[in-house]
């Protein structure tokens, strides 16, 4: 048992830490080349089918996409998806999944369970010792019963679970919620699971955004330090922020259904004003990080690593520079955007999961999310053991 655990065990104060994280990566992946080839085939077909209207000036022709633009504008080179074939079939370009019966594990729960099992195994934790499951993600497969409760049951957890959605910040909001449960004594071990099947909210026929998202699932095990494994990450502090904005929006809901025939302008799927998002979110998040570091008496320029939300390489470059005071290298601000794309709330957790083992005890870093809402969350962490 580490010294922190001993002193807190003695004082009886519950203190939340990250015991482990888990990751499920779908085996299938779409490269920019494959994506653009399918998009451009769709554009050609569409323009050919509407040649007369286009020639008469009644319709604008659709423009092709380009691999060069995608990589330069976003840093994305590929994205994992749960079912590749229909997404890159120019005649479909939508997700298709085999329907499952109510007695089968649903798709979103399945990948959430896989990520959760990974986290539990890494922590050496028996699922029976977990008290709560939060399914924190941008989209839920259904309104109820909660995805979290299905995941809870599949893992054999005796406790409670519920779903929460704060778009790209769902995971960090989930971590703070879990940490608060631990601090309050309402739970000692909480799984924050973020299955992000973002291929379902992406408009694959919209040139401006068809390249952005990918599918994945992550899990974070937040526990009282007194039961955490020797190797864990202290949570120094968490801070959440929301500011209403229409610049990233999705109007899908039980009162609004998607229109399968609309092209490039379907507001029942993800839509954004990418430039405005970029301009407004970078200063908001950089300022929030620096303020929070100050509150925690952490020198932001001395942070060993930033695990930032993975939406755009340019945004991360600017935020990291403002926080660290110099241009960050890959070691200081690792990216997973190139192979995963934007995975919504899971992005910063994947970055953390894949890039934390090399850090030494005492190293301090930051997990940070930002996105629709707007919403942003910071989780300052310090490695123990
Ligand atoms: N292929 C080729 N050209 C494209 C294209 C594509 N797929 N999509 C857009 N373009 C063109 C546009 O038509 C425009 O042409 P113009 O200059 O002749 O008008 C040009 O490229 C620039 O388009 P723009 O939309 O301004 O690109 P951008 O440089 O702002 O990059 C984003 C777009 C979305 C990558 C970028 O704005 C971004 O990442 N913003 C933040 C997004 C974010 O974090 N969102 C949160 C989601 S959770």
């Amino acid at each position: 048992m580490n010294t922190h655990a001993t002193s807190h065990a003695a004082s009886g104060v519950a203190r939340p830490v990250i015991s482990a994280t888990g990751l499920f990566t779908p085996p299938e992946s779409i490269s920019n080349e494959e994506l653009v080839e399918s998009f451009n085939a769709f554009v050609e077909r569409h323009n050919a089918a509407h040649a007369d209207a286009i020639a008469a000036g009644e319709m604008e022709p659709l423009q092709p996409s380009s691999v060069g633009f995608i990589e330069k504008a976003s840093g994305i080179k590929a994205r994992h998806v749960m079912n590749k074939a229909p997404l890159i079939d120019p005649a479909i370009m939508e997700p298709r999944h085999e329907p499952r019966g109510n007695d089968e594990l649903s798709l979103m729960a399945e990948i959430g369970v896989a990520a959760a099992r990974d986290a539990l195994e890494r922590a050496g934790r028996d699922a029976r010792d977990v008290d709560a499951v939060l399914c924190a993600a941008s989209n839920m497969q259904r309104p109820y019963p909660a995805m979290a409760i299905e995941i809870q049951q599949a893992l054999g957890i005796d406790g409670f679970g519920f779903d929460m959605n704060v778009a790209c910040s769902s995971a960090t909001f989930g971590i703070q919620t879990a940490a608060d449960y631990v601090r309050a004594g309402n739970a000692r071990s909480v799984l924050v699971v973020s299955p992000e099947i973002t291929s379902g909210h992406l408009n694959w026929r919209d040139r401006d955004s068809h390249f952005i998202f990918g599918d994945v699932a992550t899990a974070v095990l937040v526990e009282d330090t007194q039961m955490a494994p020797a190797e864990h990450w202290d949570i120094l502090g968490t801070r959440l922020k929301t500011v209403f904005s229409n610049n990233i929006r999705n109007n899908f809901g039980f009162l609004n259904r998607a229109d399968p025939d609309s092209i490039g302008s379907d507001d029942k799927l993800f839509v954004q004003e990418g430039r405005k998002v970029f301009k407004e979110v970078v200063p908001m998040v950089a300022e929030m990080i620096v303020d929070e570091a100050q509150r925690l008496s952490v020198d932001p320029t001395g942070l060993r690593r930033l695990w930032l939300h993975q939406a755009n390489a340019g945004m991360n470059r600017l935020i990291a520079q403002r926080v660290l005071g110099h241009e960050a290298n890959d070691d200081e601000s690792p990216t997973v955007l190139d192979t995963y794309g934007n995975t919504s709330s899971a992005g910063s957790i994947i970055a953390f999961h894949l890039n934390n083992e090399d850090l030494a005890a005492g190293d301090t870093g930051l997990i940070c999310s930002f996105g629709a809402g707007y919403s942003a969350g910071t989780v300052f962490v310090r490695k123990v053991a």
Side-chain angles (χ1 to χ4, degrees):
M1 193 181 269
N2 62 67
T3 51
H4 284 116
T6 309
S7 62
H8 283 272
S11 66
V13 177
R15 204 167 47 84
V17 305
I18 294 178
S19 287
T21 54
L23 174 66
F24 168 80
T25 302
E28 294 190 333
S29 167
I30 302 175
S31 68
N32 283 348
E33 287 74 13
E34 292 171 299
L35 183 78
V36 166
E37 189 186 331
S38 108
F39 183 88
N40 290 350
F42 150 73
V43 165
E44 262 180 47
R45 285 182 194 196
H46 178 273
N47 290 346
H50 298 90
D52 292 345
I54 291 168
E58 292 158 12
M59 189 188 254
E60 287 293 320
L62 295 181
Q63 298 300 318
S65 184
S66 98
V67 170
F69 170 84
I70 294 171
E71 197 175 327
K72 189 157 174 280
S74 69
I76 298 166
K77 296 179 187 166
R79 67 287 295 145
H80 290 275
V81 290
M82 291 303 292
N83 187 14
K84 174 174 174 173
L87 298 173
I88 55 166
D89 180 338
I92 305 175
M93 297 177 85
E94 283 176 357
R96 294 272 197 276
H97 299 289
E98 278 296 312
R100 296 182 181 188
N102 288 356
D103 52 354
E104 293 175 276
L105 198 61
S106 57
L107 191 64
M108 204 172 147
E110 179 184 301
I111 67 171
V113 165
R117 287 217 165 101
D118 186 26
L120 292 172
E121 201 175 302
R122 285 167 194 270
R125 175 73 53 239
D126 189 320
R128 284 171 299 193
D129 294 328
V130 176
D131 302 311
V133 177
L134 310 184
C135 181
S138 288
N139 299 282
M140 297 300 159
Q141 189 166 340
R142 57 168 184 265
Y144 46 82
M147 302 312 304
I149 302 176
E150 191 180 1
I151 294 169
Q152 174 198 346
Q153 190 208 31
L155 292 170
I157 292 171
D158 181 19
F160 68 93
F162 63 87
D163 295 346
M164 52 186 290
N165 173 2
V166 203
C168 289
S169 287
S170 299
T172 54
F173 276 57
I175 290 172
Q176 172 161 312
T177 306
D180 285 345
Y181 278 132
V182 171
R183 284 188 199 103
N186 288 322
R188 295 187 74 217
S189 176
V190 184
L191 263 172
V192 181
V193 186
S194 299
E196 291 284 11
I197 308 184
T198 57
S199 53
H201 79 185
L202 180 55
N203 188 342
W204 295 81
R205 296 184 237 179
D206 173 30
R207 176 175 178 255
D208 287 349
S209 64
H210 76 115
F211 54 89
I212 291 181
F213 289 103
D215 299 339
V216 80
T218 56
V220 181
L221 185 63
V222 177
E223 300 191 307
D224 181 357
T225 186
Q226 292 170 43
M227 71 184 285
E231 216 174 284
H232 62 258
W233 288 81
D234 274 346
I235 297 176
L236 304 181
T238 56
R239 170 66 56 104
L240 311 179
K241 185 179 174 80
T242 50
V243 179
F244 186 75
S245 169
N246 278 322
N247 290 333
I248 313 172
R249 189 157 174 134
N250 183 341
N251 283 329
F252 180 76
F254 76 103
L255 298 179
N256 297 310
R257 285 138 203 265
D259 172 2
D261 295 324
S262 72
I263 288 172
S265 61
D266 192 341
D267 75 346
K268 313 301 184 304
L269 292 166
F270 168 91
V271 284
Q272 74 166 349
E273 297 275 355
R275 291 253 158 150
K276 288 189 186 160
V277 174
F278 200 112
K279 265 185 145 151
E280 292 173 6
V281 170
V282 167
M284 181 183 101
V285 170
E287 194 177 314
M288 178 179 173
I289 294 171
V290 172
D291 284 355
E292 176 64 356
Q294 222 160 24
R295 189 180 76 86
L296 297 170
S297 302
V298 168
D299 174 8
T301 65
L303 286 168
R304 176 65 187 82
R305 191 164 286 164
L306 307 177
W307 299 281
L308 297 178
H309 175 52
Q310 304 284 313
N312 179 290
M315 279 176 106
N316 285 7
R317 223 176 0 255
L318 282 175
I319 291 171
Q321 176 145 22
R322 289 188 189 194
V323 171
L324 299 176
H326 63 262
E327 186 156 338
N329 57 34
D330 282 350
D331 183 63
E332 292 168 313
S333 177
T335 185
V336 301
L337 261 178
D338 49 349
T339 51
Y340 281 88
N342 180 341
T343 49
S344 197
S345 73
S348 57
I349 307 300
I350 307 172
F352 176 78
H353 180 86
L354 296 177
N355 300 283
N356 76 55
E357 279 179 7
D358 59 315
L359 265 54
D363 280 346
T364 303
L366 166 71
I367 298 170
C368 178
S369 70
F370 41 87
Y374 296 133
S375 60
T378 59
V379 182
F380 281 81
V381 289
R382 181 167 294 149
K383 191 162 192 172
V384 174

